[in-house]
Amino acid sequence: MRYSIIYAVIRPEISERISVGLIIVDGDKVDVRYSQQKLDALRGLFPQKEYEFVSQVVTSMPTDGSVNSVAAIDYLTRYSNNLIAVSPLQTIDIEPTEQSKNRLFRNYIHA
């Protein structure tokens, strides 16, 4: 199983960021999850326009098909903008069950 973390970049000049979502790759299946609570917290950290952009991009990832392959994730890793960043895919040696995916989400994004 592989995963990548979606970050909201708070202050690009010092690479300050908050993990808001997780992309999980299980063979050909790509699962995108995000924390609505963390997105809501960004409302106080970003101007309204930037908040709306980040929120719209992250919440649409699971449904718009933009993250549907390893190639798409690699593209996002290389070409993220100054508000959203995606970490390189990491491989972990655990069984890709729903329980392990939930545990990964809790550990990296939101308990």
Side-chain angles (χ1 to χ4, degrees):
M1 182 166 67
R2 296 188 283 176
Y3 70 92
S4 180
I5 300 172
I6 304 165
Y7 296 100
V9 180
I10 305 303
R11 294 193 309 178
E13 64 275 7
I14 62 169
S15 299
E16 185 175 5
R17 59 194 186 175
I18 296 175
S19 58
V20 294
L22 187 68
I23 303 168
I24 302 170
V25 180
D26 173 16
D28 292 337
K29 185 179 177 193
V30 178
D31 183 17
V32 181
R33 300 174 184 200
Y34 62 89
S35 168
Q36 187 61 53
Q37 287 180 322
K38 282 194 173 182
L39 287 176
D40 292 343
L42 293 176
R43 189 179 305 274
L45 299 173
F46 283 127
Q48 184 64 27
K49 188 175 181 181
E50 284 84 355
Y51 165 76
E52 289 174 1
F53 173 79
V54 169
S55 181
Q56 192 266 334
V57 168
V58 172
T59 58
S60 67
M61 279 183 175
T63 58
D64 70 359
S66 63
V67 182
N68 59 3
S69 68
V70 170
I73 298 165
D74 287 340
Y75 175 83
L76 289 172
T77 299
R78 288 189 309 273
Y79 299 106
S80 56
N81 63 37
N82 64 339
L83 294 176
I84 297 174
V86 176
S87 72
L89 279 169
Q90 301 293 315
T91 302
I92 53 175
D93 189 24
I94 60 172
E95 189 68 30
T97 64
E98 191 62 29
Q99 181 182 15
S100 64
K101 292 176 184 180
N102 288 337
R103 187 174 341 119
L104 193 64
F105 181 79
R106 282 191 314 271
N107 286 341
Y108 287 107
I109 309 304
H110 187 50

